[in-house]
């Protein structure tokens, strides 16, 4: 009986193909919108996670000031760190893999008639370790170059491209403002960070050279600290804070004049935000499924009215109410399920194109596809039941009299 009812429902849908197609459209748009929003949101979350990981593994950033804004926030008077602070952390804190002091400023890099505005960072070889950043060509700084503050530099991939094009810059000389500097290496490309900054747009120099010949002071603006084991991150973070409070002579009960940010906190905050936005967009898109369900109910009610005499004849010759109910319910579910299938295909195609254009990974969550299809089927049951019940409860005599 079910298959007979099913094929009867399909014939009724095919008899009004245009109206059925327009009814299905609401479900198609709803399912596709949910899949598109969730897939693009998932790709954005994965991209954020990857980009934060590119900053370095088990990494802490230690910076002067409180790291917040507004009344009572960051204090511009907070003293900078010193090289001795980095040395003390590396020497006295257990669980540390590497420490890299750094300071930076914007400069104009010049090679012949080519120039490029970029950022120069003074640091040590520890920077390559804490940031997990490999050298694509050339070499790192030698111990002698670091101690003497030699005029040597390592270029980011973007700077190397802008100043040298396709040529190998290793061994060549460039000018940083008026200071000549020999290129000894080129960093591997990392791309943009989650904050929109091009990580490859940078030049690294020995920090002693930066202090003496560029900054004119011995300030260290950031301490990069890499931890051996992620499970020790909180303990190391606490020990670093205690050591810096002691070295900066901060009295008990007084607020720190520095802040420590680890990449796990940053990753948790950013991925949490993208997941919330993805859920919100998915919920908004799901509203269109409800609109599509209302469209199904409206069309099914019209269908019941148009087919009143047909229903009356079926009831008069012995059809049961449950059979009539099942026929109209199957029609509604068939419409919504077909719309769900088309919406899934459309959603996946648009998601693939959208993530490609946005430069995001295309990651399909099978559970979302199953949920979207199940929801579309449920829409057919919920919104098709009332018209089906109305058809099943028609009085045969009144239905046969209907004009």
């Amino acid at each position: 009986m079910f298959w007979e009812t099913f094929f009867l429902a399909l014939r009724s849908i095919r008899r009004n193909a245009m109206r059925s197609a327009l009814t299905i459209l609401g479900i198609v748009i709803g399912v596709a919108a949910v899949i598109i929003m969730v897939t693009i949101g998932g790709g954005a979350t994965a991209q954020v996670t990857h980009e934060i990981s590119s900053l370095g593994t088990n990494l802490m950033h230690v910076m002067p000031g409180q790291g917040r804004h507004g009344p009572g926030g960051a204090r511009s008077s907070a003293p900078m760190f010193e090289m001795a602070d980095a040395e003390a952390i590396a020497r006295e804190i257990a669980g540390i893999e590497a420490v890299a002091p750094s300071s930076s400023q914007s400069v104009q890099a010049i090679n012949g008639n080519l120039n490029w505005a970029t950022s120069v960072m003074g640091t040590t070889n520890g920077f390559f370790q804490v940031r997990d950043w490999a050298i694509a060509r050339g070499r790192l700084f030698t111990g002698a170059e670091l101690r003497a503050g030699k005029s040597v530099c390592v270029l980011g991939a973007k700077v190397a491209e802008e100043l040298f094009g396709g040529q190998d810059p290793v061994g060549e000389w460039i000018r940083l403002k008026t200071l000549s500097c020999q290129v000894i290496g080129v960093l591997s490309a990392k791309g943009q960070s989650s904050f929109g900054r091009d990580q490859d747009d940078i030049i690294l120099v020995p920090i002693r050279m930066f202090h003496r010949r560029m900054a004119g002071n011995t300030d260290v603006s950031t301490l990069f600290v890499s931890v051996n084991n992620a499970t020790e991150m909180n303990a190391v973070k606490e020990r670093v804070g205690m050591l810096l409070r002691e070295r900066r002579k901060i009295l008990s009960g007084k607020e720190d004049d520095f802040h420590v940010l680890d990449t796990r906190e940053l990753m948790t905050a950013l991925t949490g935000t993208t997941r919330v936005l993805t859920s919100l967009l998915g919920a908004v898109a799901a509203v269109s499924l409800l609109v599509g369900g209302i469209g199904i109910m409206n069309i099914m009610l019209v269908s019941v009215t148009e087919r009143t005499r047909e229903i009356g004849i079926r009831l008069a010759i012995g059809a049961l109410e449950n059979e009539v109910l099942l026929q109209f319910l199957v029609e509604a579910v068939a419409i919504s399920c077909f719309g769900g299938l088309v919406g899934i295909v459309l959603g996946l195609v648009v998601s693939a194109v959208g993530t490609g254009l946005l430069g995001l990974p295309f990651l399909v969550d099978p559970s979302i596809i199953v949920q979207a299809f199940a929801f579309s089927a449920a829409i057919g049951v919920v919104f098709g039941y009332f018209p089906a019940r109305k058809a099943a409860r028609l009085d045969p005599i009144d239905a046969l009299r209907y004009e």
Side-chain angles (χ1 to χ4, degrees):
M1 185 190 73
F2 173 79
W3 289 110
E4 181 182 345
T5 304
F6 178 74
F7 288 119
L8 185 62
L10 289 183
R11 282 198 297 272
S12 299
I13 293 172
R14 192 165 55 246
R15 192 163 54 230
N16 297 286
M18 180 60 71
R19 186 170 68 187
S20 298
L22 293 175
T23 305
I24 288 171
L25 190 60
I27 300 296
V28 170
I29 293 173
V31 171
V34 170
I35 292 176
I36 292 168
M37 293 297 100
V38 172
T39 302
I40 291 179
T45 301
Q47 183 74 2
V48 167
T49 302
H50 172 73
E51 289 175 353
I52 293 176
S53 298
S54 72
L55 296 177
T57 54
N58 303 335
L59 179 62
M60 293 189 297
H61 299 241
V62 188
M63 290 164 282
Q66 279 299 304
R68 59 178 189 264
H69 304 281
R75 292 173 287 179
S76 58
S77 61
M80 291 289 179
F81 298 118
E82 301 173 352
M83 286 294 294
D85 294 323
E87 294 165 359
I89 291 174
R91 183 177 62 252
E92 301 179 25
I93 303 296
I96 295 292
E97 182 179 11
V99 180
S102 71
S103 289
S104 61
Q105 66 175 225
S106 297
V107 301
Q108 197 77 12
I110 302 168
N111 174 40
N113 61 349
L114 298 175
N115 64 86
W116 182 252
T118 186
S119 175
V120 171
M121 175 183 289
T123 188
T124 64
N125 282 338
F127 179 83
F128 303 98
Q129 187 173 356
V130 298
R131 288 289 308 275
D132 192 22
W133 209 336
I135 295 288
R137 295 194 297 273
R139 60 175 176 83
L140 304 179
F141 306 120
T142 65
E145 289 169 344
L146 290 169
R147 288 191 297 271
K150 292 283 188 179
S151 294
V152 291
C153 59
V154 176
L155 306 183
K158 178 67 174 179
V159 179
E161 179 185 350
E162 294 294 336
L163 294 183
F164 292 92
Q167 298 179 353
D168 186 358
V170 176
E172 302 295 330
W173 289 79
I174 63 172
R175 279 189 296 129
L176 305 177
K177 295 183 179 178
T178 58
L179 174 66
S180 294
C181 185
Q182 186 180 27
V183 179
I184 63 169
V186 178
L187 293 166
S188 59
K190 280 208 173 189
Q192 282 199 337
S193 69
S194 304
F195 311 103
R197 178 181 176 276
D198 190 347
Q199 298 181 84
D200 301 320
D201 192 5
I202 193 172
I203 298 176
L204 303 180
V205 300
I207 193 166
R208 291 187 185 279
M209 174 262 200
F210 180 87
H211 283 157
R212 294 173 183 172
R213 307 190 65 180
M214 300 187 70
N217 57 51
T218 59
D219 292 344
V220 174
S221 60
T222 305
L223 298 173
F224 296 98
V225 181
S226 180
V227 181
N228 284 322
N229 195 324
T231 59
E232 299 178 358
M233 181 72 77
N234 292 333
V236 172
K237 187 175 179 179
E238 184 177 349
R239 290 197 291 266
V240 168
M242 292 174 61
L243 177 62
L244 289 177
R245 283 182 64 87
E246 179 184 337
R247 293 187 57 83
R248 292 163 79 85
K249 297 179 173 58
I250 300 174
L251 300 176
S252 178
K254 295 292 184 179
E255 192 177 42
D256 293 342
D257 61 359
F258 61 91
H259 64 282
V260 183
L261 177 68
D262 68 72
T263 48
R264 294 183 312 165
E265 294 176 337
L266 189 59
M267 186 180 297
T268 300
L270 290 180
T271 54
T273 300
T274 55
R275 287 195 182 102
V276 169
L277 290 176
T278 299
S279 299
L280 178 61
L281 291 173
V284 171
V287 172
S288 58
L289 276 173
L290 297 178
V291 175
I294 294 172
I296 289 177
M297 184 169 65
N298 181 47
I299 293 301
M300 293 305 296
L301 286 171
V302 171
S303 179
V304 169
T305 302
E306 289 179 345
R307 295 156 61 188
T308 300
R309 286 179 62 83
E310 174 193 329
I311 296 168
I313 292 172
R314 289 197 66 197
L315 291 172
I317 61 176
L320 300 176
E321 285 189 9
N322 286 341
E323 293 174 343
V324 176
L325 174 69
L326 183 61
Q327 176 188 346
F328 281 87
L329 195 57
V330 167
E331 285 186 32
V333 173
I335 288 173
S336 61
C337 286
F338 184 73
L341 291 174
V342 175
I344 288 171
V345 174
L346 178 63
L348 291 175
V349 171
V350 175
S351 296
V353 174
T355 51
L357 293 176
L358 295 172
L360 301 174
F362 177 53
L363 302 175
V364 179
D365 186 352
S367 65
I368 294 300
I369 295 177
V370 172
Q371 290 174 34
F373 180 77
F375 193 47
S376 67
I379 287 290
V381 174
V382 172
F383 288 94
Y385 179 76
F386 177 72
R389 188 183 65 172
K390 179 181 178 182
R393 291 186 175 181
L394 285 175
D395 184 89
I397 296 175
D398 292 337
L400 289 171
R401 288 175 179 172
Y402 184 80
E403 295 294 338

